[in-house]
């Protein structure tokens, strides 16, 4: 569950008894491999791309394919992979990814 921005959603889920197994993800946090990635969000997308390139199987779903391929990236001044900010693109509905 995305804990950045509207983190109150995570708090409400926990308060409602849905906290078991809930992982609060902070995409803006420092990447584990900070030499390669700007933050955790970019790192997770990079790791997912590597997983898919290694042969992972996902459902043949056009919406999922669009969600997984719509994110643009670039490089920071330290040559770290940096995903575009969520503010730069609009998602008309909650995505599948």
């Amino acid at each position: 569950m995305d804990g950045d921005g509207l983190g109150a959603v995570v708090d409400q889920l926990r308060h409602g008894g849905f906290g078991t197994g809930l992982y609060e993800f902070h995409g803006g946090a420092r990447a584990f491999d900070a030499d390669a990635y700007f933050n955790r969000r970019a790192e997770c997308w990079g790791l997912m791309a590597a997983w898919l390139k290694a042969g992972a199987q996902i459902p043949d779903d056009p919406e999922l394919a669009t969600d997984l391929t719509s994110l643009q990236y670039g490089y920071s001044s330290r040559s770290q992979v940096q995903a575009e900010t969520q503010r730069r693109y609009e998602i008309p509905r909650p995505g599948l990814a």
Side-chain angles (χ1 to χ4, degrees):
M1 172 67 62
D2 188 354
D4 292 332
L6 298 175
V9 173
V10 174
D11 294 336
Q12 289 179 355
L13 286 170
R14 286 192 177 125
H15 182 71
F18 299 101
T20 303
L22 181 67
Y23 177 79
E24 187 173 351
F25 177 77
H26 294 281
R30 185 175 193 272
F32 294 126
D33 184 358
D35 291 332
Y37 298 100
F38 184 74
N39 58 21
R40 284 291 294 152
R41 181 168 178 256
E43 185 173 39
C44 285
W45 277 92
L47 293 172
M48 179 185 61
W51 175 70
L52 290 168
K53 287 176 186 173
Q57 298 292 313
I58 60 172
D60 185 14
D61 181 321
E63 277 186 82
L64 179 59
T66 298
D67 285 346
L68 294 177
T69 59
S70 63
L71 184 75
Q72 300 293 308
Y73 70 93
Y75 295 90
S76 72
S77 61
R78 294 182 47 217
S79 298
Q80 302 158 300
V81 173
Q82 183 175 7
E84 70 180 333
T85 64
Q86 291 177 335
R87 289 178 213 95
R88 288 195 49 204
Y89 63 97
E90 292 184 25
I91 299 176
R93 54 164 177 69
L96 298 173

mmCIF file of all heavy atoms in Angstrom, residues 33-58:
data_model
loop_
_atom_site.group_PDB
_atom_site.id
_atom_site.type_symbol
_atom_site.label_atom_id
_atom_site.label_comp_id
_atom_site.label_asym_id
_atom_site.label_seq_id
_atom_site.Cartn_x
_atom_site.Cartn_y
_atom_site.Cartn_z
ATOM 1 N N ASP A 33 19.758 0.172 -3.312
ATOM 2 C CA ASP A 33 20.918 0.333 -4.183
ATOM 3 C C ASP A 33 20.938 1.785 -4.650
ATOM 4 O O ASP A 33 20.607 2.111 -5.786
ATOM 5 C CB ASP A 33 20.814 -0.622 -5.377
ATOM 6 C CG ASP A 33 22.037 -0.569 -6.274
ATOM 7 O OD1 ASP A 33 22.965 0.240 -6.002
ATOM 8 O OD2 ASP A 33 22.079 -1.331 -7.262
ATOM 9 N N ALA A 34 21.349 2.666 -3.740
ATOM 10 C CA ALA A 34 21.303 4.104 -3.994
ATOM 11 C C ALA A 34 22.298 4.559 -5.057
ATOM 12 O O ALA A 34 22.168 5.657 -5.588
ATOM 13 C CB ALA A 34 21.531 4.877 -2.693
ATOM 14 N N ASP A 35 23.278 3.732 -5.386
ATOM 15 C CA ASP A 35 24.193 4.092 -6.466
ATOM 16 C C ASP A 35 23.503 3.973 -7.824
ATOM 17 O O ASP A 35 23.811 4.719 -8.749
ATOM 18 C CB ASP A 35 25.435 3.200 -6.457
ATOM 19 C CG ASP A 35 26.332 3.471 -5.266
ATOM 20 O OD1 ASP A 35 26.332 4.608 -4.750
ATOM 21 O OD2 ASP A 35 27.040 2.542 -4.839
ATOM 22 N N ALA A 36 22.550 3.046 -7.944
ATOM 23 C CA ALA A 36 21.881 2.800 -9.225
ATOM 24 C C ALA A 36 20.529 3.490 -9.351
ATOM 25 O O ALA A 36 20.121 3.849 -10.450
ATOM 26 C CB ALA A 36 21.710 1.295 -9.431
ATOM 27 N N TYR A 37 19.832 3.671 -8.211
ATOM 28 C CA TYR A 37 18.464 4.183 -8.258
ATOM 29 C C TYR A 37 18.295 5.420 -7.386
ATOM 30 O O TYR A 37 18.829 5.486 -6.287
ATOM 31 C CB TYR A 37 17.473 3.108 -7.804
ATOM 32 C CG TYR A 37 17.479 1.899 -8.700
ATOM 33 C CD1 TYR A 37 18.182 0.752 -8.341
ATOM 34 C CD2 TYR A 37 16.795 1.900 -9.909
ATOM 35 C CE1 TYR A 37 18.199 -0.356 -9.170
ATOM 36 C CE2 TYR A 37 16.808 0.797 -10.733
ATOM 37 C CZ TYR A 37 17.505 -0.324 -10.365
ATOM 38 O OH TYR A 37 17.532 -1.425 -11.189
ATOM 39 N N PHE A 38 17.479 6.355 -7.880
ATOM 40 C CA PHE A 38 17.226 7.608 -7.183
ATOM 41 C C PHE A 38 16.435 7.404 -5.893
ATOM 42 O O PHE A 38 16.691 8.060 -4.890
ATOM 43 C CB PHE A 38 16.474 8.564 -8.121
ATOM 44 C CG PHE A 38 16.233 9.916 -7.564
ATOM 45 C CD1 PHE A 38 17.260 10.836 -7.461
ATOM 46 C CD2 PHE A 38 14.971 10.292 -7.140
ATOM 47 C CE1 PHE A 38 17.046 12.101 -6.949
ATOM 48 C CE2 PHE A 38 14.734 11.547 -6.623
ATOM 49 C CZ PHE A 38 15.780 12.459 -6.521
ATOM 50 N N ASN A 39 15.437 6.514 -5.927
ATOM 51 C CA ASN A 39 14.611 6.246 -4.747
ATOM 52 C C ASN A 39 14.010 4.838 -4.855
ATOM 53 O O ASN A 39 14.264 4.122 -5.833
ATOM 54 C CB ASN A 39 13.522 7.311 -4.568
ATOM 55 C CG ASN A 39 12.600 7.444 -5.760
ATOM 56 O OD1 ASN A 39 12.475 6.543 -6.578
ATOM 57 N ND2 ASN A 39 11.933 8.583 -5.875
ATOM 58 N N ARG A 40 13.221 4.455 -3.876
ATOM 59 C CA ARG A 40 12.639 3.102 -3.852
ATOM 60 C C ARG A 40 11.674 2.873 -5.008
ATOM 61 O O ARG A 40 11.570 1.784 -5.545
ATOM 62 C CB ARG A 40 11.908 2.838 -2.526
ATOM 63 C CG ARG A 40 12.823 2.568 -1.364
ATOM 64 C CD ARG A 40 13.550 1.242 -1.478
ATOM 65 N NE ARG A 40 12.623 0.111 -1.401
ATOM 66 C CZ ARG A 40 12.825 -1.071 -1.973
ATOM 67 N NH1 ARG A 40 13.916 -1.301 -2.654
ATOM 68 N NH2 ARG A 40 11.947 -2.033 -1.853
ATOM 69 N N ARG A 41 10.946 3.913 -5.404
ATOM 70 C CA ARG A 41 10.002 3.763 -6.510
ATOM 71 C C ARG A 41 10.732 3.379 -7.795
ATOM 72 O O ARG A 41 10.349 2.430 -8.483
ATOM 73 C CB ARG A 41 9.227 5.064 -6.700
ATOM 74 C CG ARG A 41 8.194 5.008 -7.802
ATOM 75 C CD ARG A 41 7.280 6.244 -7.712
ATOM 76 N NE ARG A 41 6.328 6.224 -8.777
ATOM 77 C CZ ARG A 41 6.409 6.992 -9.869
ATOM 78 N NH1 ARG A 41 7.403 7.849 -9.994
ATOM 79 N NH2 ARG A 41 5.500 6.909 -10.803
ATOM 80 N N ALA A 42 11.782 4.102 -8.127
ATOM 81 C CA ALA A 42 12.567 3.788 -9.324
ATOM 82 C C ALA A 42 13.206 2.413 -9.200
ATOM 83 O O ALA A 42 13.269 1.650 -10.172
ATOM 84 C CB ALA A 42 13.635 4.857 -9.542
ATOM 85 N N GLU A 43 13.649 2.083 -8.002
ATOM 86 C CA GLU A 43 14.285 0.789 -7.779
ATOM 87 C C GLU A 43 13.297 -0.358 -8.002
ATOM 88 O O GLU A 43 13.621 -1.346 -8.667
ATOM 89 C CB GLU A 43 14.857 0.736 -6.363
ATOM 90 C CG GLU A 43 15.651 -0.505 -6.064
ATOM 91 C CD GLU A 43 16.342 -0.420 -4.712
ATOM 92 O OE1 GLU A 43 15.735 0.105 -3.755
ATOM 93 O OE2 GLU A 43 17.484 -0.873 -4.624
ATOM 94 N N CYS A 44 12.090 -0.217 -7.484
ATOM 95 C CA CYS A 44 11.088 -1.276 -7.660
ATOM 96 C C CYS A 44 10.712 -1.449 -9.117
ATOM 97 O O CYS A 44 10.572 -2.581 -9.595
ATOM 98 C CB CYS A 44 9.851 -0.985 -6.809
ATOM 99 S SG CYS A 44 10.143 -1.300 -5.061
ATOM 100 N N TRP A 45 10.551 -0.341 -9.845
ATOM 101 C CA TRP A 45 10.259 -0.447 -11.271
ATOM 102 C C TRP A 45 11.429 -1.101 -12.003
ATOM 103 O O TRP A 45 11.228 -1.934 -12.885
ATOM 104 C CB TRP A 45 9.951 0.926 -11.868
ATOM 105 C CG TRP A 45 8.529 1.335 -11.662
ATOM 106 C CD1 TRP A 45 8.033 2.058 -10.612
ATOM 107 C CD2 TRP A 45 7.409 1.030 -12.488
ATOM 108 N NE1 TRP A 45 6.674 2.215 -10.746
ATOM 109 C CE2 TRP A 45 6.262 1.597 -11.888
ATOM 110 C CE3 TRP A 45 7.260 0.334 -13.681
ATOM 111 C CZ2 TRP A 45 4.994 1.490 -12.449
ATOM 112 C CZ3 TRP A 45 5.990 0.233 -14.232
ATOM 113 C CH2 TRP A 45 4.872 0.802 -13.614
ATOM 114 N N GLY A 46 12.657 -0.744 -11.649
ATOM 115 C CA GLY A 46 13.827 -1.351 -12.284
ATOM 116 C C GLY A 46 13.936 -2.834 -11.996
ATOM 117 O O GLY A 46 14.248 -3.635 -12.887
ATOM 118 N N LEU A 47 13.666 -3.216 -10.751
ATOM 119 C CA LEU A 47 13.712 -4.634 -10.387
ATOM 120 C C LEU A 47 12.602 -5.418 -11.087
ATOM 121 O O LEU A 47 12.810 -6.556 -11.518
ATOM 122 C CB LEU A 47 13.618 -4.799 -8.877
ATOM 123 C CG LEU A 47 14.817 -4.269 -8.085
ATOM 124 C CD1 LEU A 47 14.528 -4.299 -6.585
ATOM 125 C CD2 LEU A 47 16.069 -5.060 -8.423
ATOM 126 N N MET A 48 11.431 -4.791 -11.220
ATOM 127 C CA MET A 48 10.341 -5.456 -11.923
ATOM 128 C C MET A 48 10.702 -5.646 -13.395
ATOM 129 O O MET A 48 10.460 -6.713 -13.973
ATOM 130 C CB MET A 48 9.055 -4.643 -11.819
ATOM 131 C CG MET A 48 7.897 -5.279 -12.569
ATOM 132 S SD MET A 48 6.409 -4.281 -12.575
ATOM 133 C CE MET A 48 6.974 -2.801 -13.399
ATOM 134 N N ALA A 49 11.312 -4.649 -14.020
ATOM 135 C CA ALA A 49 11.716 -4.755 -15.419
ATOM 136 C C ALA A 49 12.712 -5.898 -15.597
ATOM 137 O O ALA A 49 12.604 -6.693 -16.542
ATOM 138 C CB ALA A 49 12.312 -3.436 -15.905
ATOM 139 N N ALA A 50 13.668 -5.997 -14.685
ATOM 140 C CA ALA A 50 14.657 -7.081 -14.752
ATOM 141 C C ALA A 50 13.984 -8.446 -14.584
ATOM 142 O O ALA A 50 14.322 -9.410 -15.279
ATOM 143 C CB ALA A 50 15.732 -6.879 -13.686
ATOM 144 N N TRP A 51 13.012 -8.518 -13.681
ATOM 145 C CA TRP A 51 12.260 -9.751 -13.436
ATOM 146 C C TRP A 51 11.507 -10.174 -14.694
ATOM 147 O O TRP A 51 11.514 -11.347 -15.082
ATOM 148 C CB TRP A 51 11.320 -9.510 -12.254
ATOM 149 C CG TRP A 51 10.383 -10.601 -11.894
ATOM 150 C CD1 TRP A 51 10.699 -11.807 -11.334
ATOM 151 C CD2 TRP A 51 8.956 -10.580 -12.028
ATOM 152 N NE1 TRP A 51 9.554 -12.537 -11.109
ATOM 153 C CE2 TRP A 51 8.473 -11.807 -11.534
ATOM 154 C CE3 TRP A 51 8.054 -9.644 -12.507
ATOM 155 C CZ2 TRP A 51 7.121 -12.118 -11.509
ATOM 156 C CZ3 TRP A 51 6.701 -9.959 -12.479
ATOM 157 C CH2 TRP A 51 6.252 -11.180 -11.983
ATOM 158 N N LEU A 52 10.866 -9.204 -15.358
ATOM 159 C CA LEU A 52 10.134 -9.509 -16.584
ATOM 160 C C LEU A 52 11.082 -9.925 -17.710
ATOM 161 O O LEU A 52 10.811 -10.879 -18.440
ATOM 162 C CB LEU A 52 9.290 -8.312 -17.016
ATOM 163 C CG LEU A 52 8.094 -8.006 -16.119
ATOM 164 C CD1 LEU A 52 7.501 -6.647 -16.466
ATOM 165 C CD2 LEU A 52 7.047 -9.106 -16.216
ATOM 166 N N LYS A 53 12.212 -9.242 -17.840
ATOM 167 C CA LYS A 53 13.186 -9.586 -18.873
ATOM 168 C C LYS A 53 13.784 -10.963 -18.650
ATOM 169 O O LYS A 53 14.200 -11.635 -19.593
ATOM 170 C CB LYS A 53 14.299 -8.537 -18.925
ATOM 171 C CG LYS A 53 13.851 -7.233 -19.532
ATOM 172 C CD LYS A 53 14.953 -6.191 -19.480
ATOM 173 C CE LYS A 53 14.437 -4.854 -19.956
ATOM 174 N NZ LYS A 53 15.407 -3.777 -19.773
ATOM 175 N N ALA A 54 13.813 -11.396 -17.388
ATOM 176 C CA ALA A 54 14.358 -12.721 -17.054
ATOM 177 C C ALA A 54 13.357 -13.841 -17.344
ATOM 178 O O ALA A 54 13.665 -15.013 -17.144
ATOM 179 C CB ALA A 54 14.780 -12.758 -15.589
ATOM 180 N N GLY A 55 12.152 -13.473 -17.793
ATOM 181 C CA GLY A 55 11.199 -14.495 -18.189
ATOM 182 C C GLY A 55 9.977 -14.644 -17.310
ATOM 183 O O GLY A 55 9.224 -15.606 -17.464
ATOM 184 N N ALA A 56 9.740 -13.724 -16.404
ATOM 185 C CA ALA A 56 8.550 -13.813 -15.552
ATOM 186 C C ALA A 56 7.299 -13.779 -16.415
ATOM 187 O O ALA A 56 7.270 -13.130 -17.465
ATOM 188 C CB ALA A 56 8.528 -12.666 -14.555
ATOM 189 N N GLN A 57 6.277 -14.469 -15.994
ATOM 190 C CA GLN A 57 5.014 -14.522 -16.715
ATOM 191 C C GLN A 57 3.979 -13.659 -16.007
ATOM 192 O O GLN A 57 3.840 -13.733 -14.789
ATOM 193 C CB GLN A 57 4.505 -15.960 -16.773
ATOM 194 C CG GLN A 57 5.433 -16.897 -17.514
ATOM 195 C CD GLN A 57 5.494 -16.585 -18.998
ATOM 196 O OE1 GLN A 57 4.469 -16.409 -19.637
ATOM 197 N NE2 GLN A 57 6.705 -16.505 -19.535
ATOM 198 N N ILE A 58 3.270 -12.834 -16.773
ATOM 199 C CA ILE A 58 2.179 -12.032 -16.237
ATOM 200 C C ILE A 58 0.960 -12.257 -17.128
ATOM 201 O O ILE A 58 1.092 -12.729 -18.260
ATOM 202 C CB ILE A 58 2.544 -10.530 -16.163
ATOM 203 C CG1 ILE A 58 2.878 -9.973 -17.553
ATOM 204 C CG2 ILE A 58 3.687 -10.300 -15.179
ATOM 205 C CD1 ILE A 58 3.063 -8.475 -17.588
#
